[in-house]
Amino acid sequence: MNFQWYPGHMTKAKRMMQENIKLIDLVIELVDARVPLASRNPDIDELGKNKARLILLNKADLAEDRKNDEWKAYFEGRGFFCVKVNSKKGGGLKSIQNVIQEACQEKIERDRKRGILNRPVRAMVVGIPNVGKSTFINSLAGKAAAKTGNKPGVTKGKQWIRLNKQVELLDTPGILWPKFEDQSVGLKLAFIGSIKDEILQVEELGAELIRFLYQVYPGVLESKYGIEKAEDPYVSLNRIAESRHCLVRGNELDAEKAARLLMDDFRNGKLGRLTLEYPEQM
Ligand code: G4P
């Protein structure tokens, strides 16, 4: 399998990130709580050095809560502030303002010593595509302040959203490029939809997800679709097709449609709250 994120987009995204990061005090990095490491781009550690750092475990509603807590402890143990968030429903957003203050305490102190009082902390939201950056900005700002579905490299004049007296947020999120040296990271990103489906055949992706879930969540597919486990994931896809009446040409099983249904169910949390990587494996 061969994954690639368009190199032109990557260069533009990187350049924009380097420009914008100069303007801010705090990096608010969104990761997908189902795959908190695979959905990071570790280059942000270099780009954001000397900045206060906050990691948000977004889509926490789609991941196991016990694992969310373990990941929170994992990141806190590495010096990041960390909050579990559901940007879609607004969960966890209230506590963020306080955490922002805490994360920027050093800068506020520094300002105070220099006689600068009440200068708002400036923050920027960053993350790889589809982790929920625009949804988060919209929810936090309480209005349609940022368009969802942002494209890398598209920017207008810089706009700041004033969250309160102390905090301003850049209205355009910084788009990080997905990074994967090994195939398992690429696969996890494809599972959550951060790598475009066109890059992989959906049947192949569905079969990989089945293989993966058999290992980490045995029984989930069987109970969701009322099917028996098969050794071959392609047989399982056909069983899903059978149970969900995915048919072509009248009566042939449509494994592609079944794979699409499976991916949608997984991405929308209809298979339950599933976490695909655990801190103890890292
Ligand atoms: P991006 O800017 O980082 O690229 O992500 P964006 O906000 O466009 O969000 C990508 C998808 O993730 C959207 O779904 C959005 O609704 C969903 N999302 C964002 N945050 C959360 C969260 O905390 N929990 C859950 N469950 N979903 C979240 P979509 O399918 O593109 O659109 P729609 O289904 O909302 O219409």
Side-chain angles (χ1 to χ4, degrees):
M1 246 174 269
N2 192 17
F3 303 104
Q4 217 189 351
W5 204 55
Y6 319 107
H9 281 169
M10 195 168 113
T11 316
K12 268 188 204 158
K14 197 168 192 172
R15 199 167 46 229
M16 242 171 76
M17 184 75 63
Q18 280 161 339
E19 271 171 32
N20 287 340
I21 216 151
K22 287 184 210 144
L23 309 173
I24 56 143
D25 310 297
L26 169 72
V27 176
I28 302 178
E29 179 187 355
L30 264 71
V31 299
D32 187 308
R34 294 166 296 176
V35 286
L37 285 193
S39 61
R40 288 196 80 207
N41 177 335
D43 291 355
I44 190 64
D45 288 336
E46 179 59 28
L47 284 164
K49 65 172 189 244
N50 306 327
K51 305 285 173 185
R53 302 289 301 278
L54 168 59
I55 290 186
L56 301 182
L57 292 167
N58 194 40
K59 309 198 186 186
D61 55 305
L62 299 177
E64 262 188 84
D65 206 36
R66 201 164 42 90
K67 296 290 173 203
N68 290 340
D69 288 331
E70 287 174 24
W71 277 113
K72 184 166 149 45
Y74 171 94
F75 285 119
E76 285 171 348
R78 281 159 182 76
F80 298 97
F81 287 84
C82 184
V83 180
K84 301 185 283 181
V85 182
N86 171 356
S87 294
K88 212 167 169 173
K89 294 266 167 73
L93 294 185
K94 264 198 200 135
S95 63
I96 284 181
Q97 309 244 2
N98 288 338
V99 179
I100 290 178
Q101 293 300 315
E102 227 184 300
C104 294
Q105 208 47 51
E106 243 176 64
K107 176 221 172 311
I108 295 167
E109 259 322 287
R110 222 169 33 235
D111 278 358
R112 203 181 53 82
K113 280 188 189 142
R114 289 198 207 133
I116 307 168
L117 292 178
N118 303 326
R119 190 169 71 183
V121 164
R122 288 195 147 179
M124 172 166 82
V125 171
V126 308
I128 67 166
N130 211 41
V131 286
K133 298 178 293 300
S134 304
T135 311
F136 170 74
I137 294 175
N138 286 343
S139 307
L140 197 65
K143 55 182 156 52
K147 276 193 193 153
T148 44
N150 264 307
K151 295 272 181 307
V154 181
T155 182
K156 299 180 218 94
K158 294 199 195 334
Q159 301 258 337
W160 297 91
I161 303 163
R162 181 147 251 217
L163 297 179
N164 55 39
K165 272 194 191 146
Q166 290 105 24
V167 187
E168 287 181 355
L169 189 67
L170 194 60
D171 79 336
T172 332
I175 298 165
L176 293 169
W177 48 103
K179 185 155 190 174
F180 37 91
E181 260 101 39
D182 73 78
Q183 179 167 304
S184 85
V185 173
L187 261 181
K188 287 175 196 163
L189 292 177
F191 292 159
I192 62 165
S194 270
I195 298 177
K196 291 251 175 277
D197 284 346
E198 300 91 75
I199 294 169
L200 273 185
Q201 296 235 332
V202 69
E203 271 180 76
E204 202 180 358
L205 186 61
E208 291 291 347
L209 181 63
I210 290 171
R211 218 172 258 142
F212 196 91
L213 291 179
Y214 277 162
Q215 281 169 28
V216 284
Y217 287 105
V220 159
L221 295 173
E222 289 85 335
S223 69
K224 169 74 181 169
Y225 299 110
I227 56 169
E228 298 230 339
K229 185 177 174 190
E231 286 312 313
D232 180 348
Y234 288 92
V235 174
S236 301
L237 268 184
N238 275 333
R239 289 185 180 162
I240 295 173
E242 203 170 6
S243 116
R244 288 299 146 105
H245 308 290
C246 303
L247 301 170
V248 265
R249 287 183 285 277
N251 55 1
E252 252 175 67
L253 292 176
D254 188 342
E256 190 183 322
K257 197 167 169 194
R260 227 175 278 287
L261 180 122
L262 168 68
M263 295 317 301
D264 284 347
D265 282 349
F266 168 70
R267 288 173 185 165
N268 296 324
K270 290 189 183 147
L271 300 181
R273 298 177 71 167
L274 306 178
T275 301
L276 301 189
E277 58 190 11
Y278 306 152
E280 70 263 24
Q281 295 168 337
M282 302 302 157

